[in-house]
Amino acid sequence: MKVGKCFHRKILNPCSLEAHNYQVDPYIGCEHLCHYCYALNKVETDWGKEILIHENFVKRLTEEISSLNSEDIYMGMNSDPYQASERTFKQTRKALEVFAQSGFSASVLTKSGLVTRDIDLFEKMPESSVGVSLAFQEEQTRQLFEKNAPSNEERIDALRRLKSAGIPTYTLICPVMPFITDVESLIELVAPYSNKVWIYRLEMKSTEDQNWQNIESILNQNFQELTEKYRKIAFSGDHPYWRQLRQKLEELQSKKYLNLQIRL
Ligand code: SF4
């Protein structure tokens, strides 16, 4: 993997998620190469060959947060903060150190067990939380859609270790792939180690987008009977498939007193 430098781009950026004003991507590009990733629609480099890191990262991040009051910063919006290069470059760890020293906290989303390396820093920031995302219950299917990401086993083990250390945890089941993702079985797997479980549907915007083209090609090769169904379901939040699944999960939530955040 070639790692290039990025000199002038802002590190701290506005965040559109609930409860967060700002987000930081320590890397530009993501080695996990999930074929459904929305960030693939706006890539600047070939993520399979090159990612970028910010030059003078600590100095610039410290300056950029200096005008803010302490708050929780989201990490994991357009790239995974714990992708393989983090073992070498430690950009995410450096960002967490800056936050901890400045009275900030971080809400981190990852697919990697490497996140447990930084438990010491999360412990210093009690407002922090750590989540893992997953979307497939079978390893073989997972590998079709998430080329280089770590296994579910690694992610769930990370959740377990974080929870035992007293760090607030969450799971993001995303994207729910119609007729492929078994949401209920994934909830059962992660619920013991997650304070909250978020569930987001597969949401495609345009047939021209790279992520849709990737998904369509995987379906054509492996689940041919699903391609036409996806053309209808993945582009419409009103489709009966989502309504029925939503209802089923709401029933499960009240029956088992689960803390689910259903966004289907
Ligand atoms: S880990 Fe997240 S950011 Fe990275 S490719 Fe997968 S979905 Fe995209």
Side-chain angles (χ1 to χ4, degrees), residues 45-92:
T45 64
D46 177 349
W47 291 7
K49 297 194 180 118
E50 183 183 24
I51 58 165
L52 305 175
I53 57 174
H54 302 276
E55 180 74 336
N56 292 326
F57 184 61
V58 169
K59 182 170 174 285
R60 286 169 56 205
L61 180 58
T62 307
E63 280 168 11
E64 288 184 28
I65 64 168
S66 64
S67 60
L68 302 180
N69 292 322
S70 303
E71 60 182 280
D72 194 63
I73 306 291
Y74 189 81
M75 297 174 81
M77 192 88 185
N78 298 305
S79 63
D80 195 314
Y82 291 97
Q83 57 188 287
S85 287
E86 171 63 14
R87 288 184 198 282
T88 310
F89 295 98
K90 299 188 172 67
Q91 295 283 93
T92 298

Side-chain angles (χ1 to χ4, degrees), residues 7 38 48 72 81 89 120-121 128-129 163 242 250 257:
F7 297 92
Y38 58 78
D72 194 63
F89 295 98
D120 61 323
L121 289 170
S128 291
S129 59
K163 192 144 173 47
W242 299 123
E250 282 165 359
Y257 305 104

Side-chain angles (χ1 to χ4, degrees), residues 29-40 47 76-80 83 109-111 133 146 149:
C30 188
E31 295 166 79
H32 288 164
L33 282 177
C34 307
H35 294 301
Y36 50 76
C37 181
Y38 58 78
L40 286 173
W47 291 7
M77 192 88 185
N78 298 305
S79 63
D80 195 314
Q83 57 188 287
L109 179 67
T110 184
K111 287 183 166 80
S133 64
E146 301 176 343

